[in-house]
Amino acid sequence: MKNVLLICQKELKSYFASPIAYAVMAIFGLIFGWVFFNASRDFVRFSFQSQMTGGGGQMNVNEQIIRPLLGFAGTIALFLVPMITMRLFAEEKRMGTVELLLTSPVKDIEIILGKWLGAMLLYLCVLFMSMINIALLFAWGKPDLKPVLVAYLGLILQGGTLLAIGALISTMTKNQIIAGIATFFISLLLWLLSWFTAFDSSATAQVVNYLSIVTHFENFGKGVLDSKDVVFYISMIFFSLFLTSRSLESLRWRA
Amino acid sequence: MIKVEGLTKRYARTVAVDNISFEVEKGQIVGFLGPNGAGKTTTMRVLTCFLPPTAGSASVAGFDVLEHPLEVKKRIGYLPETPPLYPEMEVTEYLRFVGKLKGIPSGDIGRRVDDVLGRCAIGDVRNKLIGKLSKGYRQRVGLAQAIIHNPDVLVLDEPTSGLDPKQIIEIRELLKSLAGEHTIILSTHILSEVEHSCEHVIIINQGKLVAIDSVANLTNRLRGAEAVAVVVDSDGGRPNASDVQQRLEQVPGVSRVVMKDTRDSRLCFEVESLQGRQVRADVARSVVNAGWALNELRPVGLSLEDVFLQLTAAEQTEAQKVQEGASK
Ligand SMILES: Nc1ncnc2c1ncn2[C@@H]1O[C@H](COP(=O)(O)OP(=O)(O)OP(=O)(O)O)[C@@H](O)[C@H]1O
Ligand SMILES: [Mg+2]
């Protein structure tokens, strides 16, 4: 455990020593902030209108702002994950520092967990950029807290899964750009799976749909905590990290 | 301390290390000598548990590299061919990280870092970013990283590459001061490097073991085998090169004559002697007796390649003798 934290700390430091951390946080913050601004402006305008016309108080901050916004946050995160994970192993392989890690008295799994955790913490920093905006809504309206928390849990689990997949891909090449692009396309594919199968109800489509990372976010987005989805994400994370350790192992055999 | 038995490592196509066996006693400094592509790095990577052997076994302090890798790793300090450095870290920050990675208790880290900063003479760059260091300093930080946890065994892959002559001497001194309590195995392709810092030498070539011996024995085996540069003046094609070469080859004790150059009406040859033979005087006499003008006669050091030729040639002739003896 000490080693996991040691590696994690080193990863975080190097994220913040390079422009990557600031770049992902800035990109996310800007896009999210802009969408947030537009959504809340529209919301305010509509609620004024409905008050003027006396149409009744069906307007709901949770339903109409927070839910679509956080769903959108998940989508942006999908495309930022490759930037976070691409260097995890590829850069160590390129610099030869992987030789230091793999000849030190630490277990492969400790290295992998440490790196994944470091990536996870940066991802949390990214999500934090959206929390600032959402917190404004709390200062200003009276949204329900629970669905927001559930949605964030979903975002964290979905991000953790993608980060684990990205870590796996990063072990496969020395070139972090290639790792990034490959992770991007795989994330894109996983994201699109739910679209491909949206109008298809065959058994294969069901399976494919089950594997879609986005499908499992839907319930979280609605504020519904379903253990099925939690189990799905956690097992995906375990599976990907397991494959990462296999890949690291085979690196030794092939190297 | 280190025991390698029948070690073979095969990559997809190449056999990098081919069935080599050797042992290193505690406290020895052993030089691992071989030309480029000999398999030095590969062997070291197996010893440090970075690569698994294809066949055979290797063990460090009694622990097998495949069965107890963690125990082996705890006892080894390793400087890979390219020092494993993080350019975005400062020197002390990096050494602290490696120290913790190697399992030094956090209370001792500061002391250990100060110690290696002093030993490797990198105190003056302690707060610099590693990415901004010169090659020599990086090499020294790499060395500091290898010794930070006071390992029983040090595996150093070309520790003096990229250093200036003064630094090389300092590193040699450092290695000598580490020997005794540490067992050191260092690779190099420079012959004199081994003579200076090692007691024993393991020579490999193309993945095969060529010789294991103490440095003293090896230099004895090679002593006398000398290479001499001979330059003869030639006036208008007389004498011609092949005549001179023939005559030189006939000098007793000469094993090989290589034509080097014929510029400016000068014929340059390199003459190698058999082991234990001094041929300079005979060569000079032979040239002068033929009535040619001897322009230059100067000993040249044996290169690593020559050493291999000598050693492998010696083994071949011995093998031939054995075969001939058997067939009679
Ligand atoms: N990762 C690899 N994949 C395939 N072949 C390799 C790999 N690494 C080394 N080799 C091959 O194995 C052989 C031995 O290489 P090695 O690096 O061990 O030599 P070396 O003695 O360290 O040479 P040098 O003095 O150049 O460092 C070479 O023929 C090399 O081409
Ligand atoms: Mg090498």
Side-chain angles (χ1 to χ4, degrees), chain A residues 10 14 17 19 32 35 56 63 78-79 81 93 95 100 107 117 122 124 138 158 171 174 185 194 206 209 221-222 248:
Chain A
K10 178 217 132 211
S14 62
F32 189 85
V35 173
E63 283 293 309
L78 207 70
F79 298 103
V81 160
K93 284 172 77 172
M95 296 297 296
L100 169 67
K107 300 197 187 81
L117 211 59
L122 176 58
L124 289 181
F138 277 91
Q158 177 184 272
T171 55
K174 266 186 192 175
F185 277 105
S194 61
Q206 294 287 308
N209 203 30
K222 290 181 202 141
L248 207 59

PDB file of all heavy atoms in Angstrom, chain A residues 10 14 17 19 32 35 56 63 78-79 81 93 95 100 107 117 122 124 138 158 171 174 185 194 206 209 221-222 248:
ATOM      1  N   LYS A  10       4.013  10.248  -7.193  1.00  0.00           N
ATOM      2  CA  LYS A  10       4.953  10.584  -8.268  1.00  0.00           C
ATOM      3  C   LYS A  10       4.194  10.923  -9.551  1.00  0.00           C
ATOM      4  O   LYS A  10       4.529  11.879 -10.249  1.00  0.00           O
ATOM      5  CB  LYS A  10       5.873   9.385  -8.491  1.00  0.00           C
ATOM      6  CG  LYS A  10       6.850   9.566  -9.603  1.00  0.00           C
ATOM      7  CD  LYS A  10       7.068   8.286 -10.371  1.00  0.00           C
ATOM      8  CE  LYS A  10       6.969   8.536 -11.843  1.00  0.00           C
ATOM      9  NZ  LYS A  10       6.470   7.459 -12.626  1.00  0.00           N
ATOM     10  N   SER A  14       4.125  14.527 -11.556  1.00  0.00           N
ATOM     11  CA  SER A  14       4.574  14.751 -12.927  1.00  0.00           C
ATOM     12  C   SER A  14       3.430  15.271 -13.797  1.00  0.00           C
ATOM     13  O   SER A  14       3.677  15.980 -14.759  1.00  0.00           O
ATOM     14  CB  SER A  14       5.243  13.506 -13.515  1.00  0.00           C
ATOM     15  OG  SER A  14       4.348  12.450 -13.583  1.00  0.00           O
ATOM     16  N   ALA A  17       3.704  18.824 -13.140  1.00  0.00           N
ATOM     17  CA  ALA A  17       4.961  19.433 -13.582  1.00  0.00           C
ATOM     18  C   ALA A  17       4.934  19.671 -15.091  1.00  0.00           C
ATOM     19  O   ALA A  17       5.765  20.370 -15.628  1.00  0.00           O
ATOM     20  CB  ALA A  17       6.135  18.528 -13.229  1.00  0.00           C
ATOM     21  N   PRO A  19       2.371  20.426 -18.732  1.00  0.00           N
ATOM     22  CA  PRO A  19       1.146  21.182 -19.021  1.00  0.00           C
ATOM     23  C   PRO A  19      -0.115  20.319 -19.042  1.00  0.00           C
ATOM     24  O   PRO A  19      -1.219  20.863 -19.049  1.00  0.00           O
ATOM     25  CB  PRO A  19       1.390  21.765 -20.423  1.00  0.00           C
ATOM     26  CG  PRO A  19       2.771  21.407 -20.799  1.00  0.00           C
ATOM     27  CD  PRO A  19       3.246  20.342 -19.900  1.00  0.00           C
ATOM     28  N   PHE A  32     -17.280  23.139 -20.100  1.00  0.00           N
ATOM     29  CA  PHE A  32     -18.373  22.928 -19.154  1.00  0.00           C
ATOM     30  C   PHE A  32     -18.972  24.270 -18.709  1.00  0.00           C
ATOM     31  O   PHE A  32     -20.187  24.437 -18.649  1.00  0.00           O
ATOM     32  CB  PHE A  32     -17.889  22.145 -17.933  1.00  0.00           C
ATOM     33  CG  PHE A  32     -18.994  21.723 -17.028  1.00  0.00           C
ATOM     34  CD1 PHE A  32     -19.688  20.553 -17.270  1.00  0.00           C
ATOM     35  CD2 PHE A  32     -19.372  22.514 -15.948  1.00  0.00           C
ATOM     36  CE1 PHE A  32     -20.728  20.174 -16.452  1.00  0.00           C
ATOM     37  CE2 PHE A  32     -20.418  22.141 -15.124  1.00  0.00           C
ATOM     38  CZ  PHE A  32     -21.094  20.961 -15.372  1.00  0.00           C
ATOM     39  N   VAL A  35     -21.224  25.734 -21.480  1.00  0.00           N
ATOM     40  CA  VAL A  35     -22.509  25.037 -21.582  1.00  0.00           C
ATOM     41  C   VAL A  35     -23.378  25.352 -20.364  1.00  0.00           C
ATOM     42  O   VAL A  35     -24.589  25.579 -20.476  1.00  0.00           O
ATOM     43  CB  VAL A  35     -22.282  23.519 -21.718  1.00  0.00           C
ATOM     44  CG1 VAL A  35     -23.589  22.765 -21.658  1.00  0.00           C
ATOM     45  CG2 VAL A  35     -21.552  23.219 -23.009  1.00  0.00           C
ATOM     46  N   GLY A  56     -47.522  27.578 -13.930  1.00  0.00           N
ATOM     47  CA  GLY A  56     -47.303  26.587 -12.873  1.00  0.00           C
ATOM     48  C   GLY A  56     -45.826  26.270 -12.716  1.00  0.00           C
ATOM     49  O   GLY A  56     -45.002  26.560 -13.564  1.00  0.00           O
ATOM     50  N   GLU A  63     -33.846  18.317 -12.919  1.00  0.00           N
ATOM     51  CA  GLU A  63     -34.185  17.673 -14.176  1.00  0.00           C
ATOM     52  C   GLU A  63     -33.644  18.442 -15.370  1.00  0.00           C
ATOM     53  O   GLU A  63     -33.174  17.876 -16.336  1.00  0.00           O
ATOM     54  CB  GLU A  63     -35.712  17.551 -14.303  1.00  0.00           C
ATOM     55  CG  GLU A  63     -36.292  16.441 -13.469  1.00  0.00           C
ATOM     56  CD  GLU A  63     -35.840  15.083 -13.974  1.00  0.00           C
ATOM     57  OE1 GLU A  63     -35.973  14.838 -15.195  1.00  0.00           O
ATOM     58  OE2 GLU A  63     -35.326  14.274 -13.167  1.00  0.00           O
ATOM     59  N   LEU A  78     -14.940  11.687 -21.373  1.00  0.00           N
ATOM     60  CA  LEU A  78     -14.623  10.579 -22.262  1.00  0.00           C
ATOM     61  C   LEU A  78     -13.478  10.950 -23.190  1.00  0.00           C
ATOM     62  O   LEU A  78     -12.613  10.145 -23.503  1.00  0.00           O
ATOM     63  CB  LEU A  78     -15.872  10.295 -23.086  1.00  0.00           C
ATOM     64  CG  LEU A  78     -16.125   8.923 -23.637  1.00  0.00           C
ATOM     65  CD1 LEU A  78     -16.460   8.004 -22.493  1.00  0.00           C
ATOM     66  CD2 LEU A  78     -17.288   8.980 -24.612  1.00  0.00           C
ATOM     67  N   PHE A  79     -13.485  12.196 -23.627  1.00  0.00           N
ATOM     68  CA  PHE A  79     -12.473  12.597 -24.599  1.00  0.00           C
ATOM     69  C   PHE A  79     -11.222  13.179 -23.939  1.00  0.00           C
ATOM     70  O   PHE A  79     -10.217  13.369 -24.594  1.00  0.00           O
ATOM     71  CB  PHE A  79     -13.097  13.582 -25.593  1.00  0.00           C
ATOM     72  CG  PHE A  79     -14.219  12.944 -26.353  1.00  0.00           C
ATOM     73  CD1 PHE A  79     -15.549  13.212 -26.045  1.00  0.00           C
ATOM     74  CD2 PHE A  79     -13.939  12.010 -27.341  1.00  0.00           C
ATOM     75  CE1 PHE A  79     -16.572  12.581 -26.727  1.00  0.00           C
ATOM     76  CE2 PHE A  79     -14.963  11.377 -28.022  1.00  0.00           C
ATOM     77  CZ  PHE A  79     -16.289  11.665 -27.714  1.00  0.00           C
ATOM     78  N   VAL A  81      -9.965  11.666 -21.142  1.00  0.00           N
ATOM     79  CA  VAL A  81      -9.255  10.534 -20.531  1.00  0.00           C
ATOM     80  C   VAL A  81      -7.983  10.142 -21.294  1.00  0.00           C
ATOM     81  O   VAL A  81      -6.938   9.934 -20.676  1.00  0.00           O
ATOM     82  CB  VAL A  81     -10.213   9.333 -20.361  1.00  0.00           C
ATOM     83  CG1 VAL A  81      -9.450   8.034 -20.195  1.00  0.00           C
ATOM     84  CG2 VAL A  81     -11.110   9.564 -19.164  1.00  0.00           C
ATOM     85  N   LYS A  93       8.306   3.627 -20.735  1.00  0.00           N
ATOM     86  CA  LYS A  93       8.996   2.721 -21.645  1.00  0.00           C
ATOM     87  C   LYS A  93       9.964   3.503 -22.527  1.00  0.00           C
ATOM     88  O   LYS A  93      11.080   3.070 -22.760  1.00  0.00           O
ATOM     89  CB  LYS A  93       7.977   1.988 -22.524  1.00  0.00           C
ATOM     90  CG  LYS A  93       7.252   0.885 -21.787  1.00  0.00           C
ATOM     91  CD  LYS A  93       6.128   0.308 -22.599  1.00  0.00           C
ATOM     92  CE  LYS A  93       6.597  -0.628 -23.687  1.00  0.00           C
ATOM     93  NZ  LYS A  93       5.468  -1.323 -24.336  1.00  0.00           N
ATOM     94  N   MET A  95      11.439   6.409 -21.896  1.00  0.00           N
ATOM     95  CA  MET A  95      12.556   6.984 -21.145  1.00  0.00           C
ATOM     96  C   MET A  95      13.446   5.904 -20.522  1.00  0.00           C
ATOM     97  O   MET A  95      14.504   6.210 -19.989  1.00  0.00           O
ATOM     98  CB  MET A  95      12.035   7.871 -20.003  1.00  0.00           C
ATOM     99  CG  MET A  95      11.272   9.087 -20.445  1.00  0.00           C
ATOM    100  SD  MET A  95      12.302  10.204 -21.401  1.00  0.00           S
ATOM    101  CE  MET A  95      13.511  10.682 -20.173  1.00  0.00           C
ATOM    102  N   LEU A 100      13.720   0.881 -14.127  1.00  0.00           N
ATOM    103  CA  LEU A 100      13.848   1.167 -12.694  1.00  0.00           C
ATOM    104  C   LEU A 100      12.660   0.579 -11.932  1.00  0.00           C
ATOM    105  O   LEU A 100      12.827  -0.116 -10.926  1.00  0.00           O
ATOM    106  CB  LEU A 100      13.924   2.678 -12.460  1.00  0.00           C
ATOM    107  CG  LEU A 100      13.791   3.139 -11.007  1.00  0.00           C
ATOM    108  CD1 LEU A 100      14.996   2.691 -10.194  1.00  0.00           C
ATOM    109  CD2 LEU A 100      13.650   4.646 -10.923  1.00  0.00           C
ATOM    110  N   LYS A 107       5.637  -4.767  -6.367  1.00  0.00           N
ATOM    111  CA  LYS A 107       4.905  -5.688  -7.231  1.00  0.00           C
ATOM    112  C   LYS A 107       4.333  -4.918  -8.418  1.00  0.00           C
ATOM    113  O   LYS A 107       4.014  -3.733  -8.306  1.00  0.00           O
ATOM    114  CB  LYS A 107       3.777  -6.344  -6.445  1.00  0.00           C
ATOM    115  CG  LYS A 107       4.260  -7.143  -5.252  1.00  0.00           C
ATOM    116  CD  LYS A 107       3.142  -8.085  -4.774  1.00  0.00           C
ATOM    117  CE  LYS A 107       3.537  -8.773  -3.483  1.00  0.00           C
ATOM    118  NZ  LYS A 107       3.315  -7.915  -2.300  1.00  0.00           N
ATOM    119  N   LEU A 117      -4.425   5.217  -9.757  1.00  0.00           N
ATOM    120  CA  LEU A 117      -4.915   6.117  -8.708  1.00  0.00           C
ATOM    121  C   LEU A 117      -4.491   7.563  -8.988  1.00  0.00           C
ATOM    122  O   LEU A 117      -5.274   8.504  -8.807  1.00  0.00           O
ATOM    123  CB  LEU A 117      -4.344   5.663  -7.366  1.00  0.00           C
ATOM    124  CG  LEU A 117      -5.187   5.917  -6.136  1.00  0.00           C
ATOM    125  CD1 LEU A 117      -6.527   5.235  -6.268  1.00  0.00           C
ATOM    126  CD2 LEU A 117      -4.449   5.426  -4.898  1.00  0.00           C
ATOM    127  N   LEU A 122      -6.239  13.041 -10.775  1.00  0.00           N
ATOM    128  CA  LEU A 122      -6.272  14.150 -11.732  1.00  0.00           C
ATOM    129  C   LEU A 122      -7.675  14.279 -12.315  1.00  0.00           C
ATOM    130  O   LEU A 122      -8.210  15.378 -12.476  1.00  0.00           O
ATOM    131  CB  LEU A 122      -5.252  13.936 -12.849  1.00  0.00           C
ATOM    132  CG  LEU A 122      -5.294  15.004 -13.955  1.00  0.00           C
ATOM    133  CD1 LEU A 122      -5.069  16.391 -13.384  1.00  0.00           C
ATOM    134  CD2 LEU A 122      -4.270  14.712 -15.040  1.00  0.00           C
ATOM    135  N   LEU A 124     -10.398  13.510 -10.846  1.00  0.00           N
ATOM    136  CA  LEU A 124     -11.239  14.148  -9.835  1.00  0.00           C
ATOM    137  C   LEU A 124     -11.045  15.667  -9.839  1.00  0.00           C
ATOM    138  O   LEU A 124     -12.001  16.429  -9.664  1.00  0.00           O
ATOM    139  CB  LEU A 124     -10.938  13.587  -8.442  1.00  0.00           C
ATOM    140  CG  LEU A 124     -11.415  12.152  -8.208  1.00  0.00           C
ATOM    141  CD1 LEU A 124     -11.080  11.714  -6.790  1.00  0.00           C
ATOM    142  CD2 LEU A 124     -12.912  12.043  -8.455  1.00  0.00           C
ATOM    143  N   PHE A 138     -26.602  25.577  -6.228  1.00  0.00           N
ATOM    144  CA  PHE A 138     -27.095  25.359  -4.875  1.00  0.00           C
ATOM    145  C   PHE A 138     -27.233  26.678  -4.130  1.00  0.00           C
ATOM    146  O   PHE A 138     -28.119  26.868  -3.309  1.00  0.00           O
ATOM    147  CB  PHE A 138     -26.151  24.415  -4.113  1.00  0.00           C
ATOM    148  CG  PHE A 138     -26.418  22.975  -4.410  1.00  0.00           C
ATOM    149  CD1 PHE A 138     -25.764  22.332  -5.445  1.00  0.00           C
ATOM    150  CD2 PHE A 138     -27.354  22.271  -3.662  1.00  0.00           C
ATOM    151  CE1 PHE A 138     -26.027  21.019  -5.737  1.00  0.00           C
ATOM    152  CE2 PHE A 138     -27.616  20.949  -3.944  1.00  0.00           C
ATOM    153  CZ  PHE A 138     -26.956  20.310  -4.992  1.00  0.00           C
ATOM    154  N   GLN A 158     -17.470   5.779 -14.150  1.00  0.00           N
ATOM    155  CA  GLN A 158     -17.285   5.725 -15.600  1.00  0.00           C
ATOM    156  C   GLN A 158     -15.865   6.171 -15.962  1.00  0.00           C
ATOM    157  O   GLN A 158     -15.187   5.541 -16.776  1.00  0.00           O
ATOM    158  CB  GLN A 158     -18.318   6.637 -16.281  1.00  0.00           C
ATOM    159  CG  GLN A 158     -18.143   6.683 -17.780  1.00  0.00           C
ATOM    160  CD  GLN A 158     -19.112   7.655 -18.439  1.00  0.00           C
ATOM    161  OE1 GLN A 158     -20.224   7.305 -18.781  1.00  0.00           O
ATOM    162  NE2 GLN A 158     -18.675   8.884 -18.594  1.00  0.00           N
ATOM    163  N   THR A 171       0.320   0.562 -21.932  1.00  0.00           N
ATOM    164  CA  THR A 171       1.412  -0.408 -21.744  1.00  0.00           C
ATOM    165  C   THR A 171       1.848  -1.007 -23.071  1.00  0.00           C
ATOM    166  O   THR A 171       2.863  -1.679 -23.143  1.00  0.00           O
ATOM    167  CB  THR A 171       0.997  -1.599 -20.856  1.00  0.00           C
ATOM    168  OG1 THR A 171      -0.163  -2.189 -21.426  1.00  0.00           O
ATOM    169  CG2 THR A 171       0.729  -1.187 -19.439  1.00  0.00           C
ATOM    170  N   LYS A 174       5.448   2.440 -26.941  1.00  0.00           N
ATOM    171  CA  LYS A 174       6.424   3.372 -26.391  1.00  0.00           C
ATOM    172  C   LYS A 174       6.031   4.798 -26.702  1.00  0.00           C
ATOM    173  O   LYS A 174       6.643   5.726 -26.209  1.00  0.00           O
ATOM    174  CB  LYS A 174       7.774   3.128 -27.069  1.00  0.00           C
ATOM    175  CG  LYS A 174       8.680   2.213 -26.344  1.00  0.00           C
ATOM    176  CD  LYS A 174      10.025   2.191 -27.040  1.00  0.00           C
ATOM    177  CE  LYS A 174      10.822   1.035 -26.471  1.00  0.00           C
ATOM    178  NZ  LYS A 174      12.067   0.814 -27.098  1.00  0.00           N
ATOM    179  N   PHE A 185      -9.955   6.424 -29.719  1.00  0.00           N
ATOM    180  CA  PHE A 185     -10.869   5.711 -30.608  1.00  0.00           C
ATOM    181  C   PHE A 185     -11.606   4.604 -29.883  1.00  0.00           C
ATOM    182  O   PHE A 185     -12.776   4.347 -30.157  1.00  0.00           O
ATOM    183  CB  PHE A 185     -10.115   5.182 -31.835  1.00  0.00           C
ATOM    184  CG  PHE A 185      -9.968   6.249 -32.879  1.00  0.00           C
ATOM    185  CD1 PHE A 185      -8.757   6.879 -33.089  1.00  0.00           C
ATOM    186  CD2 PHE A 185     -11.077   6.679 -33.609  1.00  0.00           C
ATOM    187  CE1 PHE A 185      -8.627   7.889 -34.019  1.00  0.00           C
ATOM    188  CE2 PHE A 185     -10.953   7.693 -34.537  1.00  0.00           C
ATOM    189  CZ  PHE A 185      -9.732   8.300 -34.755  1.00  0.00           C
ATOM    190  N   SER A 194     -23.701   2.363 -27.644  1.00  0.00           N
ATOM    191  CA  SER A 194     -25.081   2.544 -27.192  1.00  0.00           C
ATOM    192  C   SER A 194     -25.946   3.144 -28.305  1.00  0.00           C
ATOM    193  O   SER A 194     -27.142   2.914 -28.353  1.00  0.00           O
ATOM    194  CB  SER A 194     -25.107   3.437 -25.960  1.00  0.00           C
ATOM    195  OG  SER A 194     -24.570   4.689 -26.293  1.00  0.00           O
ATOM    196  N   GLN A 206     -28.291  -6.622 -27.240  1.00  0.00           N
ATOM    197  CA  GLN A 206     -28.421  -6.506 -25.785  1.00  0.00           C
ATOM    198  C   GLN A 206     -27.063  -6.630 -25.105  1.00  0.00           C
ATOM    199  O   GLN A 206     -26.726  -5.855 -24.213  1.00  0.00           O
ATOM    200  CB  GLN A 206     -29.345  -7.615 -25.250  1.00  0.00           C
ATOM    201  CG  GLN A 206     -30.781  -7.495 -25.716  1.00  0.00           C
ATOM    202  CD  GLN A 206     -31.489  -6.352 -25.023  1.00  0.00           C
ATOM    203  OE1 GLN A 206     -31.461  -6.273 -23.808  1.00  0.00           O
ATOM    204  NE2 GLN A 206     -32.101  -5.461 -25.796  1.00  0.00           N
ATOM    205  N   ASN A 209     -24.953  -3.687 -25.898  1.00  0.00           N
ATOM    206  CA  ASN A 209     -25.470  -2.561 -25.139  1.00  0.00           C
ATOM    207  C   ASN A 209     -25.054  -2.657 -23.673  1.00  0.00           C
ATOM    208  O   ASN A 209     -24.719  -1.667 -23.043  1.00  0.00           O
ATOM    209  CB  ASN A 209     -26.991  -2.536 -25.259  1.00  0.00           C
ATOM    210  CG  ASN A 209     -27.522  -1.144 -24.987  1.00  0.00           C
ATOM    211  OD1 ASN A 209     -26.828  -0.169 -25.261  1.00  0.00           O
ATOM    212  ND2 ASN A 209     -28.724  -1.064 -24.445  1.00  0.00           N
ATOM    213  N   GLY A 221     -27.287   9.071 -13.985  1.00  0.00           N
ATOM    214  CA  GLY A 221     -27.680  10.405 -14.434  1.00  0.00           C
ATOM    215  C   GLY A 221     -29.053  10.783 -13.922  1.00  0.00           C
ATOM    216  O   GLY A 221     -29.309  11.937 -13.571  1.00  0.00           O
ATOM    217  N   LYS A 222     -29.929   9.768 -13.839  1.00  0.00           N
ATOM    218  CA  LYS A 222     -31.283  10.030 -13.349  1.00  0.00           C
ATOM    219  C   LYS A 222     -31.326  10.128 -11.833  1.00  0.00           C
ATOM    220  O   LYS A 222     -32.383  10.362 -11.249  1.00  0.00           O
ATOM    221  CB  LYS A 222     -32.222   8.901 -13.792  1.00  0.00           C
ATOM    222  CG  LYS A 222     -32.518   8.887 -15.269  1.00  0.00           C
ATOM    223  CD  LYS A 222     -33.481   7.745 -15.583  1.00  0.00           C
ATOM    224  CE  LYS A 222     -33.393   7.365 -17.045  1.00  0.00           C
ATOM    225  NZ  LYS A 222     -33.475   5.911 -17.268  1.00  0.00           N
ATOM    226  N   LEU A 248       1.918  -5.948 -18.821  1.00  0.00           N
ATOM    227  CA  LEU A 248       3.212  -5.543 -18.267  1.00  0.00           C
ATOM    228  C   LEU A 248       4.126  -6.764 -18.148  1.00  0.00           C
ATOM    229  O   LEU A 248       5.317  -6.709 -18.406  1.00  0.00           O
ATOM    230  CB  LEU A 248       2.983  -4.924 -16.893  1.00  0.00           C
ATOM    231  CG  LEU A 248       3.991  -3.901 -16.417  1.00  0.00           C
ATOM    232  CD1 LEU A 248       4.058  -2.743 -17.380  1.00  0.00           C
ATOM    233  CD2 LEU A 248       3.595  -3.387 -15.039  1.00  0.00           C
TER     234      LEU A 248
END
